Amino acid sequence: MSNLLKTVLPDSYVTLHYRIGLRNGHDVINTFVNKPATLLLGSNQLHPPLEKVLIGMMEGQHSALILKPEQA
């Protein structure tokens, strides 16, 4: 039996906690206060720059991203 971690692909279903916040510290979305979200990448459920960060990540990996105003 293999213990290989899974890699996120462009058409993956992902279950994750995420927070989208403003510079002033206010949350727009915060799944950490409830249950994680399950999303299908490539189906316009998540903003493309955010999907781009997820693609290629390994299962269990953590990441943080600050978007430029023109990306948001």
Side-chain angles (χ1 to χ4, degrees), residues 18-31:
Y18 69 101
R19 176 187 170 272
I20 297 175
L22 303 174
R23 282 185 181 226
N24 63 12
H26 289 108
D27 288 343
V28 176
I29 298 172
N30 185 352
T31 68

Side-chain angles (χ1 to χ4, degrees), residues 2 4 6 8 11 13 18 26-27 41 45 57-59 66 69:
S2 176
L4 295 177
K6 297 177 184 174
V8 177
D11 61 348
Y13 276 98
Y18 69 101
H26 289 108
D27 288 343
L41 299 186
Q45 293 179 319
M57 288 181 70
M58 302 300 292
E59 181 178 20
I66 297 175

